[in-house]
Amino acid sequence: MTLSVGQPNTGVTAPPVPGLHSVRIGGRTIVLRSAAPPAVAIEGLDDEAPRVRRLHHVFDAACDANPTAVALECDDERLTYRELDERANRLAHHLRSLRVGDGARVAILLHRSVATYVALLAVGKAGAAFVPIDPESPPDRVAYIANDSDVDLLLTSAELLERTTGLDRPVLALDRCEAELRASSAERPMLGGDDDPLAYIIYTSGSSGRPKGVAVAQSSICNFLDVVPGVYDVRPSDRVYQGMTIAFDFSIEEIWPTWSVGATLVAGPTDSRRLGAELADFLDDAAITVLYCVPTLLATIPRDLPRIRGLMVGGEACPGQLVERWGRPGRRILNTYGPTETTVTAIWSELRPGRPVTIGKPLPTYSAVLLDEQRRPVADGEVGEICIGGRGVARGYVGRPDLTADRFIEHSSAPPGARLYRTGDLGRLTEDGEIEYLGRADAEVKIRGHRVDLGEIESVLMEDAGVSEAVVALIAIGDDPDAPRELSGYIVLACPDEPGDGDEALIQRLHRTLQERLPGYMVPSFIDIAASLPTMPSGKVDRSKLPAPVGRRLMSTDGPVVAAQNDLEIDVRSVWAEAFGVEPQALSVTADFFTDLGGHSLLAARVVSMLRTRKVGASPAVRDLYDHPTVSSLAAHLGETARPAAAT
């Protein structure tokens, strides 16, 4: 079944710290420590006109059409297209003065701010490809991505410099070079370079124990932007919410179609207002008309938002009940599907109440085919692996020719010289000619919208000498069907009968290693020791037969458990304990919800909902939990707000 519808630069780059200098030789970066930059001949930059349209050109065109329109609202700043263009141009010229230009790669490690959007534009305007890194990533992961992608420079801020510790790449803190940026030209740089250079490299989870970088060409992302704004019906009058980290390619879907039509991008908050009732208030106050989000996030919003006319869900399977709840006349709900390897979105459908949820049909210029294990097309109605073709198919994985060859394949259904990407997702064709998504064929899962290869977590566990086997699964914790599923690891000891540090010491060691190597959303909440793992007849581990974890939740608390001191602390602790799946007596009232207990935003929303349902405190909000992240401090706050004001 088939459905169709860089060059290295030369010279000296900017030093990350005094005394550290970097030289590009033969396309590689060599870092030297010396008092002054090494004497290296520097070739002039090529200022000939570009031979291919690039990602930032869609912004430039919108800027030229209406320079006074508002391009970005972020925190308390409002920038017009002209103002944002000039800031990006200044940074682009500064980058080129540091010999970061055509064919270079620049990592971006920034919290969401105006600087983030300036950097995204400026890197392209300088002729380079951007490599976004989640600012919540541990230093080990930051260093791995920067080195694996061979970046020429890492852009960050002073507050995040500690995340770059040990990095052997030049680092530039943007908030420490404001004078140089003001002195740079506000005119657009002229670019040369490859006929079809890279636009960006985005890292996704990988089974090897390390993430893998997906290299996307300028032609692929520009093709996406030729197609999507019209299909999504994004209009110049729209105000579009941007809430995803730029390390997740869902953010590209939020940012660039908005700028391509001259609409306003509204940067979302990074605090407790990221979800739930507070997000609803933010969206209302900001007059958002177009919202992109993962279904898990949408489910936390407790009320309708009448201003929203365009709702795009993606990143994970969308439950039918969300469509029933959010569907209304005058609002389009679109289900968007597409791995990073096919440039953001490849397949889409319009969701309507009363109809089955499907991922739909390919976008124009894309194609989809369902193949069996022998890579033959399956009959209509039969289950097959979803494989995607067309102009959006990425170049492959950075430095992974073996994996690229396995996932990006030549096939008779693709045009000569083109390839299909094997998604690893299963689907079947409905009677209406749309694709129904049926889950994964391998060990990948979606966690709060992030694509995670469970094999990457398992590989980290297996590196420990005390572990002989390891498997990780996404497990429902407790009996509440609305509770988010959580990661649970299961290990078999290498030497179960030999004396050692003890099971608890091993589990704590594994927990620390996972925290050092992986982003927070990939760290399991539980690690159980098993005598053996359930297997299928093929010998593979059968994740469907893994039991609910019996061990206690992994926490980072040290010291004694402090007991509840009053009835309100007992009530709050009881709710927390239920949400975390632990006994109330095991939970210290001084433990931090996030840093000690491993809580996250979705769990925080659930806790607040449970507190409200049980009438604990006066209308608690997610912000209260962020501001008062221990049982004792939250109980004290709720007690204070519930107390009637003193008579005057």
Side-chain angles (χ1 to χ4, degrees):
M1 188 287 303
T2 304
L3 296 175
S4 295
V5 187
Q7 295 176 346
N9 61 340
T10 60
V12 181
T13 59
V17 293
L20 184 62
H21 303 281
S22 144
V23 183
R24 292 286 292 184
I25 299 177
R28 301 296 300 172
T29 300
I30 297 177
V31 180
L32 305 173
R33 291 193 179 274
S34 61
V40 178
I42 299 174
E43 298 177 6
L45 295 172
D46 184 1
D47 286 334
E48 67 179 66
R51 295 185 293 274
V52 66
R53 192 159 63 100
R54 304 191 185 200
L55 178 57
H56 66 275
H57 289 158
V58 301
F59 177 90
D60 293 349
C63 178
D64 293 342
N66 194 355
T68 60
V70 176
L72 175 66
E73 292 184 6
C74 183
D75 297 327
D76 297 325
E77 290 194 70
R78 298 174 81 246
L79 297 181
T80 65
Y81 274 83
R82 177 186 289 129
E83 290 168 336
L84 184 53
D85 185 43
E86 289 179 352
R87 287 203 194 185
N89 293 339
R90 292 183 191 278
L91 177 54
H93 280 291
H94 186 57
L95 293 177
R96 289 177 72 85
S97 74
L98 301 174
R99 301 307 180 210
V100 176
D102 299 328
R105 299 174 181 182
V106 178
I108 301 176
L109 178 71
L110 291 166
H111 287 300
R112 190 178 304 142
S113 62
V114 169
T116 306
Y117 304 97
V118 171
L120 284 172
L121 281 165
V123 170
K125 285 172 175 281
F130 65 85
V131 184
I133 305 178
D134 191 333
E136 301 304 321
S137 298
D140 177 85
R141 195 177 185 88
V142 172
Y144 176 82
I145 291 174
N147 290 324
D148 187 67
S149 59
D150 192 20
V151 299
D152 300 85
L153 179 69
L154 184 144
L155 296 178
T156 189
S157 61
E159 66 173 330
L160 289 173
L161 282 174
E162 63 180 15
R163 299 289 175 107
T164 68
T165 302
L167 185 65
D168 66 345
R169 303 282 160 159
V171 176
L172 180 65
L174 293 177
D175 48 355
R176 292 185 176 177
C177 61
E178 294 176 353
E180 292 91 336
L181 294 178
R182 285 192 297 270
S184 297
S185 171
E187 299 299 318
R188 293 171 186 164
M190 295 295 293
L191 303 180
D194 293 344
D195 288 338
D196 189 14
L198 283 184
Y200 58 84
I201 299 171
I202 284 184
Y203 276 75
T204 68
S205 183
S207 60
S208 66
R210 290 293 191 180
K212 55 186 184 292
V214 181
V216 176
Q218 293 282 359
S219 59
S220 292
I221 187 59
C222 288
N223 173 75
F224 173 78
L225 293 173
D226 285 340
V227 170
V228 161
V231 173
Y232 289 5
D233 189 26
V234 184
R235 305 171 188 174
S237 59
D238 277 322
R239 294 174 57 80
V240 182
Y241 179 74
Q242 203 282 294
M244 297 289 180
T245 169
I246 63 167
F248 185 17
D249 76 337
F250 204 139
S251 66
I252 291 175
E253 193 168 38
E254 297 173 311
I255 297 169
W256 295 95
T258 303
W259 283 345
S260 73
V261 301
T264 299
L265 190 71
V266 180
T270 56
D271 54 20
S272 63
R273 296 171 294 165
R274 290 178 296 176
L275 75 168
E278 290 182 83
L279 174 58
D281 293 340
F282 179 91
L283 297 172
D284 259 347
D285 293 343
I288 298 299
T289 59
V290 175
L291 173 64
Y292 299 82
C293 65
V294 296
T296 304
L297 176 63
L298 185 63
T300 72
I301 300 177
R303 58 183 171 84
D304 190 45
L305 301 167
R307 286 191 181 93
I308 292 180
R309 64 171 193 84
L311 181 57
M312 287 67 165
V313 295
E316 60 191 23
C318 181
Q321 58 265 35
L322 277 182
V323 182
E324 301 295 326
R325 180 180 151 206
W326 284 90
R328 57 176 288 169
R331 174 182 295 154
R332 292 177 80 219
I333 305 178
L334 303 186
N335 196 14
T336 63
Y337 168 89
T340 303
E341 291 87 344
T342 60
T343 310
V344 190
T345 293
I347 301 173
W348 74 287
S349 67
E350 184 169 353
L351 303 179
R352 298 187 179 93
R355 290 185 52 189
V357 173
T358 71
I359 58 173
K361 298 180 179 180
L363 285 166
T365 75
Y366 287 80
S367 66
V369 59
L370 302 180
L371 302 180
D372 63 18
E373 292 182 354
Q374 284 73 46
R375 300 183 182 177
R376 299 171 303 195
V378 302
D380 291 354
E382 296 295 320
V383 177
E385 181 181 11
I386 302 171
C387 300
I388 296 173
R391 299 175 191 170
V393 175
R395 289 187 176 175
Y397 298 113
V398 174
R400 298 291 302 277
D402 53 339
L403 186 59
T404 298
D406 179 59
R407 306 304 296 185
F408 296 82
I409 62 171
E410 295 182 358
H411 196 269
S412 59
S413 63
R419 298 171 300 164
L420 294 179
Y421 172 68
R422 297 175 51 224
T423 67
D425 290 331
L426 299 177
R428 65 178 164 220
L429 194 66
T430 69
E431 293 181 357
D432 295 330
E434 296 189 343
I435 297 175
E436 178 186 5
Y437 173 78
L438 299 174
R440 294 291 302 176
D442 53 23
E444 280 193 357
V445 297
K446 287 295 183 74
I447 301 171
R448 306 198 290 278
H450 295 276
R451 176 174 138 197
V452 172
D453 192 318
L454 297 175
E456 180 174 356
I457 310 171
E458 292 163 358
S459 293
V460 175
L461 292 172
M462 287 290 292
E463 290 177 9
D464 194 288
V467 177
S468 66
E469 296 179 73
V471 66
V472 177
L474 202 55
I475 300 288
I477 307 299
D479 299 325
D480 186 351
D482 295 327
R485 294 195 299 165
E486 300 192 60
L487 288 173
S488 182
Y490 302 82
I491 62 171
V492 176
L493 300 179
C495 301
D497 298 326
E498 292 186 9
D501 294 334
D503 296 347
E504 183 62 25
L506 171 62
I507 290 175
Q508 291 303 317
R509 183 170 75 236
L510 293 172
H511 187 211
R512 287 193 298 271
T513 301
L514 291 165
Q515 290 177 311
E516 292 167 358
R517 289 279 297 277
L518 303 173
Y521 62 85
M522 290 180 65
V523 176
S525 300
F526 303 86
I527 296 178
D528 272 8
I529 295 176
S532 62
L533 301 176
T535 60
M536 296 181 285
S538 64
K540 295 182 179 180
V541 174
D542 189 346
R543 287 185 173 84
S544 67
K545 292 184 178 179
L546 289 168
V550 296
R552 67 180 181 86
R553 178 179 289 270
L554 295 175
M555 301 177 183
S556 300
T557 54
D558 293 317
V561 173
V562 179
Q565 302 300 309
N566 54 55
D567 290 343
L568 192 50
E569 286 191 0
I570 290 173
D571 291 342
V572 173
R573 185 185 65 174
S574 176
V575 168
W576 284 31
E578 183 176 337
F580 280 107
V582 299
E583 291 296 324
Q585 292 75 16
L587 200 155
S588 175
V589 298
T590 60
D592 187 285
F593 184 89
F594 301 99
T595 59
D596 294 332
L597 304 180
H600 49 78
S601 57
L602 292 179
L603 202 56
R606 181 165 181 256
V607 163
V608 169
S609 177
M610 293 167 66
L611 289 171
R612 287 183 172 183
T613 300
R614 299 175 191 184
K615 299 184 175 10
V616 179
S619 299
V622 174
R623 177 182 292 275
D624 296 330
L625 184 50
Y626 275 82
D627 292 341
H628 308 280
T630 67
V631 167
S632 60
S633 62
L634 181 61
H637 172 73
L638 295 178
E640 188 67 28
T641 56
R643 189 175 301 136
T648 58

